[in-house]
Amino acid sequence: MDITASDPAARTNRRAATGELSRGFGSRERYGYLFLAPWFIGFFGLSVGPMIWSFYLSFTNFDLLTDPKWVGASNYIRMFTTDPKFMTSMRVTLFFVVLSVPLKLIAALTVALLLNRGMKGLPIYRALFYLPSLLGASVAIAILWRQIFAGNGLVNKFLALFGIAGPSWISNPSYSLWTLIILSVWQFGSPMIIFLAGLRQIPADVYEAASLDGAGRWRQFIKITLPLLSPVVFFNAIIQTIEAFKNFTPAFIISGGTGNPINSTLFYTLYLYQEAFGFFRMGYASALAWVLLALVAIFTAFAFLTAKYWVHYD
Amino acid sequence: MATAVELQNVVKSYGNLQVIHGVNLTIDPGEFTVFVGPSGCGKSTLLRMIAGLEAISDGDLLIDGERMNAVTPSERGIAMVFQSYALYPHMSVYKNLAFGLETARLPRAEIAKRVQRAAEILQIEPLLNRKPKQLSGGQRQRVAIGRAIVREPKIFLFDEPLSNLDAELRVQMRVEIAKLQQRLGNTTIYVTHDQVEAMTMADKIVVLRDGRIEQVGAPLDLYNHPRNLFVAGFIGSPKMNFLQISAAGIEADADITGSAAGGGRDVPMTLGIRPEHISIDPDTGAALGSLKVVLVESLGGQTVVYATAANGQTITVVLDGQVAVGETLEAFFDPAKAHLFAADGNVVAGARLPHIITLV
């Protein structure tokens, strides 16, 4: 028989059945946990568990083959005292973060402002500008990027049209990091979409009031748009900063995993990877990972502390 | 010295769609003018064209005789209060008031003085350090008006400023805005869809429909002498009764049919009688026949009666005292206060009605 909700007998039976179950086993809760299980397993098995494990490992020497050996804080001490590559990789990453994040946000906001002027074909442009964000962190794009900026790459072929002989951008330590910054800025699509959504939220009549108050475009941008967009700027800045600290794939592909030339693209994450999977110094790599986490946390906390001075919530 | 505004054949089009069809209007210095009409009649568009927020497609806007079509909003000598208030949400009340003055690079002391004065006038001094979100609707309204005052404009523009307020506050602010305008003496243009606001505040009412002016005049002028059915129905509350009658027995100075053919005595016409001009006193004048009461709205002293006439039409009557549903009333009206409209909707001037009206 087909049991339907409109059949009173069936409904009573079912209620009795579930009532019995819940009395016996707390089944309602159990089903809930059952459905949550995939997430629980993922979260505890793949995130929290490894994090605790790596925190433990950061106080050990561990080469994957023999048991971890407790060494106390010596991994951390070594990092800050006797490891020049740690400082180099930190410098590279900070340089990248400090330049790529603002440049990317400026690019995202500029394009969002242009798109927000109500042009025809907006959905098409929006999708086109967003595309690099989807592709950007992929291996394929990084390989493509390497070709574009190579000695005989697209950029130099273009420059050759004007008689300029460009260097090999990716193998010149003066420019190599910049190619990665440009690659990162090129992926401005996702903050752009968020900026665009934020701009749409600002009521048109506020701009009308401002224009009656005599404010020109620039003053409206500075005094109205930016403050009203500040929660979105704040959000994008934090997300992009965290992303930039974590930047790995493009650096790995473009330098072939070396961080060369002369460590100019030795990102912190790349160094961490080398220590872990090149030299099998899992203990030291774990310590590096925790320092990165602390660094990101400090940056984020600092951003939140300054927020009350420049982020305006309605 | 107050300022005059003049619209000459003003047209607004969006592409092929024309929404304002050649409006001509003169607003005298210091006058409180109200644009009134139903939604979509173009009243807000017209106001925004005067403000400079919408381009004028054709025709001229003159302020103090000077053509303003191409002048930027901030240089037209106007200030505007928006329906949504359009306060700057991230600025304090003080900053909201000061923004325009700071943009104009006025000295700091002068800005402080003007903001203080506006705050005094509107009694918002204790609120100067608050943000708009911390204010009630009425307080936001005052800040919006304050922002208009500090600029010391020649002309105030109000775009349905009271429609977001509750009924009680709306009446209070209505009085305050009217008093403020009298005190400051600025030329004021006020847009509303509420004919009660129009009647109570205006020196001059401009009734608009579908992008055209239907009639311009003082409130009582429009009430007493509506030019057509639309104005007659729009001005006054409850709405004027429109009764279909035969032209037979009606005399007038002009051709009462309003049609070029003329002369025909059997053409249908519309008799307009305001609910407050119908009475149960036989001395009032002409007889309207028996009305059967179907619904009453008792306001205490007065009763709004909805009754059915002999021909089945519902007629609204405002009576003193109290009436019960189901009663039958013998209704009379004063022909001098009735309005006769021809088939084309325009009023028939100087119509003399027979003593007994035949409804059709």
Side-chain angles (χ1 to χ4, degrees):
Chain A
M1 192 186 96
D2 216 359
I3 296 174
T4 59
S6 58
D7 180 348
R11 208 164 24 181
T12 316
N13 283 342
R14 202 169 42 195
R15 203 180 311 143
T18 54
E20 203 170 290
L21 269 175
S22 63
R23 270 196 305 278
F25 308 104
S27 76
R28 287 171 66 86
E29 287 78 6
R30 218 171 46 160
Y31 280 121
Y33 286 119
L34 186 64
F35 284 114
L36 279 174
W39 181 84
F40 266 118
I41 292 166
F43 183 68
F44 287 105
L46 301 174
S47 292
V48 176
M51 274 180 81
I52 294 169
W53 182 237
S54 93
F55 189 65
Y56 162 70
L57 285 181
S58 74
F59 295 99
T60 68
N61 279 341
F62 180 44
D63 61 3
L64 286 175
L65 299 172
T66 53
D67 285 344
K69 200 166 71 209
W70 184 265
V71 293
S74 71
N75 281 333
Y76 292 96
I77 294 165
R78 181 186 141 201
M79 212 182 290
F80 289 101
T81 52
T82 59
D83 184 359
K85 271 183 115 179
F86 167 79
M87 294 315 288
T88 304
S89 66
M90 187 65 89
R91 202 167 52 239
V92 168
T93 295
L94 285 177
F95 185 80
F96 177 78
V97 169
V98 166
L99 279 165
S100 74
V101 173
L103 287 175
K104 191 185 209 172
L105 293 183
I106 288 168
L109 182 55
T110 307
V111 176
L113 286 167
L114 291 174
L115 290 184
N116 195 39
R117 295 174 69 175
M119 47 167 50
K120 271 186 194 161
L122 173 65
I124 294 166
Y125 288 112
R126 202 167 46 194
L128 284 177
F129 284 122
Y130 186 61
L131 206 55
S133 275
L134 298 176
L135 302 172
S138 70
V139 172
I141 291 294
I143 290 172
L144 187 69
W145 213 252
R146 195 164 69 182
Q147 310 240 336
I148 289 172
F149 286 97
N152 58 354
L154 214 58
V155 171
N156 281 350
K157 283 187 175 146
F158 178 74
L159 289 176
L161 294 178
F162 305 95
I164 302 166
S168 171
W169 305 94
I170 53 165
S171 54
N172 183 326
S174 311
Y175 306 120
S176 50
L177 187 52
W178 281 100
T179 62
L180 285 161
I181 290 173
I182 293 169
L183 174 58
S184 165
V185 172
W186 176 64
Q187 298 158 34
F188 61 78
S190 98
M192 177 205 75
I193 294 281
I194 299 169
F195 276 137
L196 199 51
L199 289 170
R200 292 285 171 91
Q201 294 295 313
I202 303 176
D205 56 14
V206 171
Y207 288 110
E208 291 179 347
S211 76
L212 285 167
D213 269 341
R217 274 188 180 282
W218 179 246
R219 191 167 159 83
Q220 285 182 24
F221 176 70
I222 296 294
K223 291 287 182 179
I224 309 289
T225 307
L226 274 186
L228 292 182
L229 206 58
S230 58
V232 179
V233 174
F234 181 62
F235 173 82
N236 271 337
I238 285 182
I239 295 294
Q240 293 305 322
T241 302
I242 292 172
E243 287 297 313
F245 270 116
K246 284 164 56 188
N247 184 46
F248 175 75
T249 311
F252 182 85
I253 301 295
I254 284 177
S255 72
T258 63
N260 282 335
I262 37 177
N263 289 336
S264 62
T265 62
L266 183 67
F267 279 77
Y268 192 91
T269 49
L270 194 52
Y271 178 50
L272 192 159
Y273 174 84
Q274 285 179 356
E275 285 291 313
F277 300 102
F279 305 113
F280 296 106
R281 290 195 279 254
M282 289 296 165
Y284 192 59
S286 295
L288 284 172
W290 278 92
V291 168
L292 179 63
L293 180 70
L295 192 66
V296 170
I298 289 167
F299 258 81
T300 311
F302 181 72
F304 271 94
L305 284 177
T306 62
K308 66 174 175 224
Y309 300 108
W310 63 278
V311 180
H312 302 275
Y313 291 101
D314 283 351
Chain B
M1 181 59 207
T3 303
V5 179
E6 203 174 341
L7 301 175
Q8 296 176 344
N9 261 319
V10 166
V11 171
K12 177 72 192 176
S13 315
Y14 297 101
N16 290 327
L17 179 71
Q18 202 179 70
V19 292
I20 302 283
H21 313 279
V23 164
N24 287 293
L25 180 68
T26 303
I27 294 167
D28 295 324
E31 204 169 44
F32 195 120
T33 302
V34 174
F35 291 175
V36 71
S39 305
C41 70
K43 56 193 188 296
S44 277
T45 305
L46 205 53
L47 189 79
R48 292 168 58 82
M49 287 161 83
I50 295 170
L53 297 173
E54 298 279 351
I56 296 169
S57 307
D58 200 8
D60 290 320
L61 165 69
L62 308 181
I63 294 179
D64 269 345
E66 211 176 314
R67 190 171 179 276
M68 286 286 163
N69 291 38
V71 176
T72 58
S74 62
E75 284 160 8
R76 294 188 182 193
I78 51 143
M80 180 158 163
V81 177
F82 292 81
Q83 178 175 3
S84 62
Y85 316 136
L87 299 178
Y88 309 123
H90 55 296
M91 297 184 195
S92 66
V93 168
Y94 184 95
K95 281 280 174 190
N96 261 282
L97 297 185
F99 183 73
L101 306 179
E102 283 171 357
T103 306
R105 295 179 189 282
L106 260 62
R108 199 176 281 263
E110 171 70 12
I111 294 175
K113 205 177 81 187
R114 287 210 207 171
V115 170
Q116 198 56 42
R117 204 174 78 88
E120 267 169 43
I121 291 173
L122 294 161
Q123 295 159 18
I124 52 173
E125 292 155 289
L127 309 177
L128 285 175
N129 290 320
R130 298 223 196 136
K131 294 270 178 68
K133 70 173 170 191
Q134 297 166 302
L135 305 178
S136 69
Q139 290 169 332
R140 284 178 207 186
Q141 177 65 78
R142 284 167 196 273
V143 176
I145 296 171
R147 190 169 61 182
I149 292 178
V150 288
R151 300 191 49 224
E152 298 181 356
K154 293 184 280 187
I155 303 164
F156 280 127
L157 306 179
F158 291 89
D159 189 5
E160 308 220 18
L162 305 183
S163 53
N164 287 341
L165 300 179
D166 63 50
E168 195 183 336
L169 206 51
R170 203 176 317 166
V171 174
Q172 186 191 334
M173 286 308 293
R174 196 166 79 196
V175 175
E176 285 196 32
I177 290 176
K179 281 203 300 207
L180 184 71
Q181 196 269 341
Q182 278 169 16
R183 172 170 169 184
L184 299 176
N186 295 52
T187 306
T188 300
I189 306 175
Y190 185 107
V191 163
T192 180
H193 62 269
D194 181 351
Q195 59 92 20
V196 177
E197 266 175 40
M199 290 295 284
T200 50
M201 300 175 89
D203 295 321
K204 178 193 272 178
I205 295 180
V206 179
V207 182
L208 288 148
R209 176 171 63 156
D210 294 340
R212 289 191 177 81
I213 291 181
E214 292 287 323
Q215 192 170 356
V216 179
L220 290 180
D221 225 19
L222 300 193
Y223 178 84
N224 292 328
H225 307 291
R227 186 187 289 166
N228 56 36
L229 278 172
F230 178 78
V231 176
F234 197 81
I235 299 291
S237 176
K239 203 172 151 118
M240 184 187 282
N241 294 297
F242 293 125
L243 310 174
Q244 300 303 313
I245 60 168
S246 160
I250 298 172
E251 288 172 33
D253 299 340
D255 167 26
I256 60 170
T257 63
S259 68
R265 289 318 231 173
D266 291 334
V267 285
M269 305 193 72
T270 304
L271 180 66
I273 313 172
R274 294 196 184 277
E276 55 272 34
H277 295 154
I278 298 176
S279 97
I280 47 176
D281 175 6
D283 293 342
T284 308
L288 201 57
S290 304
L291 303 179
K292 191 169 165 56
V293 178
V294 291
L295 182 72
V296 293
E297 290 172 356
S298 297
L299 305 173
Q302 279 188 326
T303 305
V304 181
V305 178
Y306 299 93
T308 322
N311 68 346
Q313 194 185 346
T314 300
I315 292 178
T316 313
V317 183
V318 174
L319 295 176
D320 289 337
Q322 294 164 4
V323 183
V325 173
E327 275 184 54
T328 303
L329 308 172
E330 282 302 320
F332 302 89
F333 70 98
D334 179 358
K337 288 180 177 168
H339 310 267
L340 190 66
F341 301 95
D344 64 0
N346 287 325
V347 76
V348 177
R352 286 178 292 280
L353 297 168
H355 209 67
I356 296 170
I357 297 295
T358 317
L359 301 179
V360 293

